Amino acid sequence: MTGKFLGYRCSLCGTEYGPSEATYTCPKDGGNLDVVLDIESLRAKFQPSDISSRLDPSLWRYLPLLPVTEYPGDSTPLHAAGGTPVFALRRIGERLGLKQLWLKDESRNPTASFKDRASALVVARAREIEAEVIVTASTGNAGAALAGMAAAVGQKAVVLAPRTAPPAKIAQLLVFGATVLLVDGTYDDAFDLTLKAAEEFGWYCRNTGHNPFTAEGKKTAALEIWEWWQTAHKAWYQELGEGAEHPPLTVFVSVGDGNIISGLHKGFKDLLQLGWITRLPRLIGVQASGSAAIANAFHANTETITPVTAKTLADSISVDLPRDGVRAVRAARETGGTYVLVSDDEILRAVAELGLSGVFAEPAGATAHAGLLKALADGVVQRDDPILVLNTGSGLKDTHAAMRAVGNAPVVEPSIKALKEVLQK
Ligand SMILES: Cc1ncc(COP(=O)(O)O)c(C=O)c1O
Ligand SMILES: [Zn+2]
């Protein structure tokens, strides 16, 4: 096993395990396991410029900071995960009076969601431990990401998704050639069945949060944000002046199982431990009010996650029992962030507003933007705060929801008279 990958530490009881002493969650209490890296030796060996001078724009530019030795699938879609662009949301920023507003567009990943980051790492890990089959439960995106990344390197993948998943996501799974099973139940039912199947058939389980490598993949977005921020903030800080109180970067992210936000937190904590940053960006998690188990725990000031009966049109974040809830609560608490709740109507309005800035987000992706609007109205963020919103998935994943956000186009007879009439309305 690789020298930099020391093993795991339980997020609940703190017990440490060697790389082959645990695979998923803590054998003692089921807590999520954090990957432990040999930060001391990484700090001695690398400078930030050793990373930023790497020519590879994909997430594999961070290979020195990841718990795998190498990645399979050079020049394939597996190689292309990460490296997503950051855009200035100028028009929305002007409307809201925000001076510094950006969006990092994760829909530009190979299978069009943030989940490619996690699946890329899990596939790399699966190759190292010579797993024959990888299985995952998914609301759609994690499965599509696994199916796509696995197809790229000829790895077998099995995906269990709720039968209610949007058709485009199911089509993606099938096109990538995974064994696809539509569970007659919720995402949580699919999750539990996947755990049993992995045990029964000896498959390697990718389940979000359950597999410690998912958060390691997701942390690469934090590493990208760090690299981007080093140049993006320069002009801004100059304007504020030497020695001024600089507000931290605030990052808005939608939350279902809580693994994206905990992965981001892990990435920033790694950077802090390396001494490459001096403070953590503020992480604000956004949940749909119909699927708010983590936000509820955060606001009740507890780490006990009480399941809900999830109901939201943002299918990717519709989760009864979040599988990375404790770390997700801490991600906001330990960074000075918070949790914000938004309604389905607010999510649809955010889909429409992002569209007017040239960004096509699925409901769960636009949830982060809806959360920004809410946080601004509630005074949680200030107009001087530099803000980065993550769009975690493409609007093409769920065109039904997109149409609900914007309504149908009028039909016109093919004559200029009819066209004029319609345009005048
Ligand atoms: C588009 C999108 N956004 C947000 C999330 C939430 O991520 P997590 O479940 O890790 O909180 C998901 C998860 O499936 C997703 O697909
Ligand atoms: Zn434990």
Side-chain angles (χ1 to χ4, degrees):
M1 205 43 60
T2 133
K4 66 193 166 178
F5 174 36
L6 299 181
Y8 309 96
R9 185 181 303 112
C10 174
S11 59
L12 295 184
C13 67
T15 304
E16 298 206 353
Y17 300 94
S20 52
E21 287 172 349
T23 311
Y24 304 118
T25 51
C26 176
K28 289 186 189 163
D29 54 19
N32 296 98
L33 296 179
D34 289 321
V35 163
V36 180
L37 296 171
D38 188 351
I39 294 283
E40 291 302 314
S41 70
L42 290 175
R43 196 192 296 129
K45 207 162 156 194
F46 296 107
Q47 305 280 335
S49 57
D50 293 320
I51 300 292
S52 47
S53 61
R54 289 169 74 103
L55 296 179
D56 186 347
S58 80
L59 60 78
W60 299 112
R61 69 195 276 105
Y62 307 110
L63 187 61
L65 309 180
L66 296 172
V68 290
T69 333
E70 54 188 50
Y71 62 89
D74 204 2
S75 308
T76 69
L78 186 126
H79 184 177
T84 56
V86 176
F87 307 125
L89 289 182
R90 291 221 175 81
R91 293 179 60 204
I92 297 179
E94 274 164 28
R95 182 177 80 74
L96 299 174
L98 290 170
K99 296 198 180 115
Q100 303 285 315
L101 177 61
W102 296 275
L103 178 136
K104 184 166 174 67
D105 195 0
E106 291 293 310
S107 75
R108 311 289 173 126
N109 272 297
T111 79
S113 88
F114 193 108
K115 301 282 162 149
D116 281 338
R117 297 181 182 275
S119 290
L121 249 280
V122 172
V123 169
R125 173 66 175 168
R127 305 297 268 195
E128 286 192 350
I129 60 171
E130 297 177 3
E132 264 177 44
V133 178
I134 311 177
V135 64
T136 196
S138 172
T139 55
N141 286 337
L146 174 63
M149 303 287 113
V153 295
Q155 170 85 44
K156 277 203 187 112
V158 179
V159 180
L160 276 70
R163 64 183 294 188
T164 51
K169 293 184 181 177
I170 297 172
Q172 237 188 333
L173 295 171
L174 292 165
V175 165
F176 288 139
T179 301
V180 181
L181 299 154
L182 298 181
V183 176
D184 193 7
T186 61
Y187 167 65
D188 294 77
D189 294 326
F191 199 103
D192 293 335
L193 182 57
T194 304
L195 299 186
K196 288 183 196 142
E199 169 116 15
E200 180 83 15
F201 306 122
W203 294 340
Y204 184 49
C205 183
R206 177 222 172 275
N207 277 13
T208 294
H210 181 70
N211 185 318
F213 282 75
T214 57
E216 286 297 300
K218 290 171 176 184
K219 89 176 182 188
T220 58
L223 304 177
E224 286 175 17
I225 291 169
W226 159 67
E227 278 199 87
W228 159 78
W229 184 232
Q230 287 183 81
T231 42
H233 80 289
K234 269 200 186 115
W236 172 239
Y237 278 10
Q238 269 161 14
E239 199 179 303
L240 287 173
E242 201 58 40
E245 256 310 294
H246 298 162
L249 179 67
T250 297
V251 180
F252 280 85
V253 58
S254 67
V255 173
D257 272 315
N259 193 237
I260 294 182
I261 196 168
S262 70
L264 291 170
H265 189 207
K266 172 67 158 59
F268 290 124
K269 282 191 295 187
D270 281 358
L271 291 168
L272 194 68
Q273 276 189 291
L274 285 164
W276 295 1
I277 56 175
T278 51
R279 65 174 166 177
L280 298 171
R282 183 158 68 129
L283 298 177
I284 298 191
V286 188
Q287 291 209 284
S289 33
S291 177
I294 295 174
N296 293 344
F298 178 88
H299 289 295
N301 208 9
T302 173
E303 289 190 347
T304 305
I305 311 290
T306 308
V308 297
T309 303
K311 194 168 177 334
T312 168
L313 68 76
D315 62 292
S316 302
I317 50 171
S318 184
V319 178
D320 295 349
L321 175 63
R323 309 298 172 139
D324 204 353
V326 174
R327 293 191 301 188
V329 165
R330 289 178 190 166
R333 204 184 60 217
E334 293 174 12
T335 62
T338 187
Y339 274 84
V340 176
L341 291 180
V342 292
S343 67
D344 281 2
D345 280 348
E346 287 169 320
I347 292 171
L348 287 178
R349 282 203 291 277
V351 168
E353 181 165 73
L354 284 178
L356 294 177
S357 280
V359 176
F360 192 14
E362 70 162 274
T367 296
H369 181 58
L372 162 64
L373 301 180
K374 194 43 123 4
L376 202 56
D378 292 350
V380 172
V381 287
Q382 308 305 318
R383 290 195 156 67
D384 276 349
D385 291 343
I387 289 165
L388 180 71
V389 174
L390 284 181
N391 170 30
T392 42
S394 166
L396 292 172
K397 298 265 195 177
D398 187 355
T399 52
H400 178 71
M403 293 305 286
R404 276 185 66 182
V406 292
N408 289 316
V411 177
V412 63
E413 274 173 36
S415 76
I416 199 74
K417 180 170 170 281
L419 182 59
K420 276 184 184 164
E421 273 170 24
V422 172
L423 290 175
Q424 267 160 16
K425 275 188 197 154

